[in-house]
Structures are given as structure tokens and as C-alpha cells.
Amino acid sequence: MAVPKFHRVLRGERGEAAKQKYLAYLNRLSPTLEDSKVGTGGNRPESKKLFLRLFNYDLPGTIFAEASATVPAWETVKGVTAVNARVKDNIAAPNVSLKFKKVKPARVIYRTLNDTSGTASTSHLTGLRYLKYNNKTISFPFGKASDTDTFAEAVAALKLQIPSTAKPRFQDEDA
């Protein structure tokens, strides 16, 4: 079972003042809500349409599922051999692409910038001090390379080509 965000604050382990400030924020009563930094992060990068073969569906080799990743994420990984075997940025006839509305393809999420020092900051929600790490992450979808390729084999192949310091996480296909 997942632990809710700020669970220690809600239990009062970080002080009653922090708990009350966070509860006020949740109730939209916080005066700091107006001057918070919500929505100031900039625009989302453009997306790139990608094509892959799904793990949980036994489709002919000429049918690809449509997925997407941000252009910066794709530019970072498009030269990696294990990625190129599992994701295409274009397909030609006789291949066909389909958009599966209820299917989320498998994804890799990893850090491209690993800041281990951190900068001291103050939370706008609780007023507590914490270390803010300026890590940059990317994610991209992937599928199977062949009819017999499994999710575990794909993860093993991708792990070999993604640096372990990037701490990659792999999300299985969600149907």
C-alpha cells in the first residue's frame, strides 16, 4: 500500500504548525497559495509520435501501437541500440499503426542529471526546510523487439545500456 505524500506532516511528526499550514493549503485557505510557484515551470516540450509492439497483445509483426515521448527524451535515447530495437520513430508500408486508448505501453524513467548535493529550500506548503535536488528525468515507452521478446528480456537489455547511476525504473505495460 502506498504511503500518502506528506504523511509525517499529517500525523504531526513534523510539528503542529507545519500540520496546520499543510491542512490549510489542502482546504485552499492558505494565504501563500496565491504567491506559490504553481504553473511557473514553463511549457511542456513538444511530443514525438513513436511506434512499438505491445507485450501483452499477440498482434502480427506489421501492426504497431502508437505512443509518445517528449522530443528531448527521444533525442537523448534514439541512438541506443536496445531502444532502437524496441521503439521506432517512423514506420513504412506494409506496417500499420493503431492507437490503443486503454493501453499504456511499458516505460523507462531515469535521471539524466544526478544532483547529489541538494540545495536547502523551504516548503511553501509546510514551512519546513528540506533539501531540493535539481535532478532531470526523462521517460520513454518501449515494446518488444520480436515475437518472443518478453518484458523481462527487454528490461535486461535496456539496463545494460542505461548507466546504473541513472537509477532507471521500469513500468510494465498497463492494459
Side-chain angles (χ1 to χ4, degrees), residues 21-89:
K21 189 171 182 179
Y22 182 62
L23 288 172
Y25 166 77
L26 290 177
N27 290 324
R28 301 279 190 223
L29 300 176
S30 175
T32 60
L33 183 62
E34 289 80 29
D35 51 35
S36 72
K37 295 183 180 181
V38 173
T40 60
N43 294 331
R44 179 180 167 86
E46 188 178 331
S47 290
K48 170 87 175 143
K49 189 185 288 189
L50 302 171
F51 307 96
L52 51 91
R53 298 180 61 206
L54 298 170
F55 289 105
N56 296 333
Y57 293 87
D58 190 23
L59 299 172
T62 58
I63 297 181
F64 288 80
E66 289 183 20
S68 67
T70 63
V71 171
W74 179 246
E75 292 297 321
T76 302
V77 300
K78 72 178 182 181
V80 177
T81 307
V83 174
N84 289 335
R86 292 169 172 77
V87 184
K88 310 287 182 216
D89 60 353

Side-chain angles (χ1 to χ4, degrees), residues 3-10 22 125:
V3 177
K5 194 170 184 179
F6 296 107
H7 70 282
R8 289 189 179 110
V9 173
L10 288 172
Y22 182 62
L125 304 182

